[in-house]
Amino acid sequence: MKGLILAAGLGTRLRPITSLRPKPTISVANKPLIHYAVDDLVEAGVTDIGVVVSYLTIESIKETLAGYRGASFTYLLQNPPRGLAHAVKVSREFLGDDPFVMLLSDNLFEHGITSFVKAFEPERGMNAVCALVPVPREDARSLGVAVVEGGRITRLVEKPEDPPSTLAVAGVYVFDATIHAMIEDLEPGAKGEYQITDAIQMLITRGHTVVPVQVEGWWKDTGKPEDILDANRLQLMQLRSAVRGEVTDSNLVGEVVVEEGAVVRNTTIFGPAIVGRGAQVENAYVGPFTSIGDDVVLVNAELEFAVVGARTRIRGVGPRIQGSLIGEDVHLEGHRGRPSSHRLVVGDESRILLQES
Ligand code: G1P
């Protein structure tokens, strides 16, 4: 079984966080999204992994994956990205006629993907397995939706106006080589994209067997900033306390990780929270569901339910920063001089909500 991680998308809904780096390299609980995908594959016994990238994402993804988990990575260019089925098409040579598990690099699964890989039994005539998850009706309109009858998927539609069910397709699929012939015959759908949903529907129409496996535990598609914050919260709920750095005159409550080389002084931290390697946290409050990246400086400030990227500096900021996604190398400083004002250098497509005084 081979693995295929799709990581060519531009992550436009996450700008400006994704303006300078591809979404799969963004960290949740201080681990890049694409590392979760590799962990899931390796745990399912899959180490021969194709990574579909674009010219814009290849360099930083290669850097993020170098040597990770001892897996073998083959980079496959999808340029420009034209849908998930197109990603399989550009991977045709790498995949050969082997069965493969395809994983979207922005989807997180509480219990990994082993159950989907195990459920795929080609000797019992299966051609594909799709992971399904029950969702509220309004969410179904922005996802792939499946109709299940007699233990098989009998219909699949992409982002339907009027969803025929509330069972959404989560971002993991297992295929045998039959899928390639479907993709060859596929017409582009909305926005000129080749949808994997349409290719799977073609499998069904042509009499092949597509089996549903329900997702156990939580599943998170990290398309938007609030999804990253929520994914971070969910991952941190699994955290167990460990102090590897230096902690003085501080109060750590609940599950808190302080990584090697980090310094925490005169600070209260309510977990679950993680302080990255080499970070400096002083005279601060860090509330639940917060990830502080490597080499971050947080001094005279309060932060909770937040993700802060590596090397960002936050100093002397008045009201508590909450529900916030802050990128890497950001400077956020308070000032006391007159006029009492906000002074901002804000990148394109940033979103800022200031407390009115
Ligand atoms: C893709 C698939 C969709 C699936 C979703 C899961 O949509 O096309 O069928 O439900 O991933 O995350 P996208 O999120 O790329 O719009």
Side-chain angles (χ1 to χ4, degrees), residues 13 84 104 107 142-144 158-159 169-171 173 195 197 219 221:
R13 288 177 296 169
L84 306 187
L104 309 187
N107 277 231
S142 57
L143 295 161
E158 183 65 19
K159 305 189 175 73
V169 178
Y173 315 77
Q195 302 287 356
T197 310
W219 160 75
D221 170 1

Side-chain angles (χ1 to χ4, degrees), residues 5-7 9-11 13-14 17-18 21-41 49 51 60-61 64-65 68-69 73 103-109 113 171 218-235 291 307 325 328:
I5 300 179
L6 305 200
L10 296 176
R13 288 177 296 169
L14 268 176
I17 300 291
T18 47
R21 73 191 86 254
K23 178 154 77 169
T25 68
I26 288 172
S27 287
V28 159
N30 285 7
K31 182 159 97 172
L33 283 172
I34 200 162
H35 283 188
Y36 290 97
V38 175
D39 288 351
D40 286 351
L41 285 169
I49 301 171
V51 187
S60 41
I61 286 179
T64 306
L65 286 181
Y68 190 66
R69 300 276 323 243
F73 300 111
L103 190 54
L104 309 187
S105 59
D106 59 356
N107 277 231
L108 297 177
F109 295 86
I113 60 162
W218 55 256
W219 160 75
K220 197 81 208 165
D221 170 1
T222 55
K224 302 187 291 294
E226 52 270 34
D227 299 323
I228 296 277
L229 284 178
D230 204 38
N232 184 64
R233 176 184 69 82
L234 292 164
Q235 288 294 347
S291 293
V307 174
L325 178 57
E328 301 187 1

Side-chain angles (χ1 to χ4, degrees), residues 89 92 179-187 194 199 202:
K89 192 170 182 157
R92 183 71 182 90
I179 193 71
H180 300 299
M182 309 301 119
I183 292 173
E184 282 303 318
D185 291 349
L186 207 60
E187 298 289 334
Y194 292 84
M202 206 184 273

